[in-house]
Amino acid sequence: LGMCEERIQNLESIGFKWGKEHVSKQQSWVEMFEELKLFKTIHGHSDVPQKCAANPKLGIWVNTQRTGYRYFKAGNKQTCRGMCEE
């Protein structure tokens, strides 16, 4: 069963998403930072575990920030993982 224009229109008419919407790295970073601020408000700290059951995506993001910070402090800006946009 192939894809045709009619099927595409039917899927899109109900809000079907074809894949990840393009979100800039900066926008994504800001959104995750807002989630971190909310986590801190709720829990009283920002020490999000890497495997955070309540918000797995936030746990991974925080771990990525920590890794990026270590690279940045070591002077390895090539792999600072988005710590600084240039």
Side-chain angles (χ1 to χ4, degrees), residues 8-59:
I8 292 170
Q9 288 174 358
N10 286 340
L11 289 166
E12 289 176 345
S13 75
I14 61 168
F16 182 81
K17 301 294 181 198
W18 293 102
K20 286 186 173 181
E21 297 292 322
H22 176 71
V23 176
S24 72
K25 285 183 180 182
Q26 181 64 24
Q27 180 182 358
S28 178
W29 191 94
V30 169
E31 289 169 1
M32 293 308 299
F33 181 67
E34 292 300 319
E35 288 197 38
L36 178 60
K37 290 187 337 187
L38 179 61
F39 180 94
K40 183 175 183 199
T41 298
I42 293 168
H43 299 282
H45 63 82
S46 60
D47 190 19
V48 182
Q50 184 175 355
K51 294 183 179 180
C52 179
N55 191 338
K57 189 175 177 182
L58 180 61

Side-chain angles (χ1 to χ4, degrees), residues 68-84:
Y69 178 77
R70 284 192 301 273
Y71 282 126
F72 179 78
K73 293 303 275 183
N76 189 348
K77 299 213 182 349
Q78 291 297 104
T79 55
C80 72
R81 299 176 186 253
M83 286 302 295
C84 45

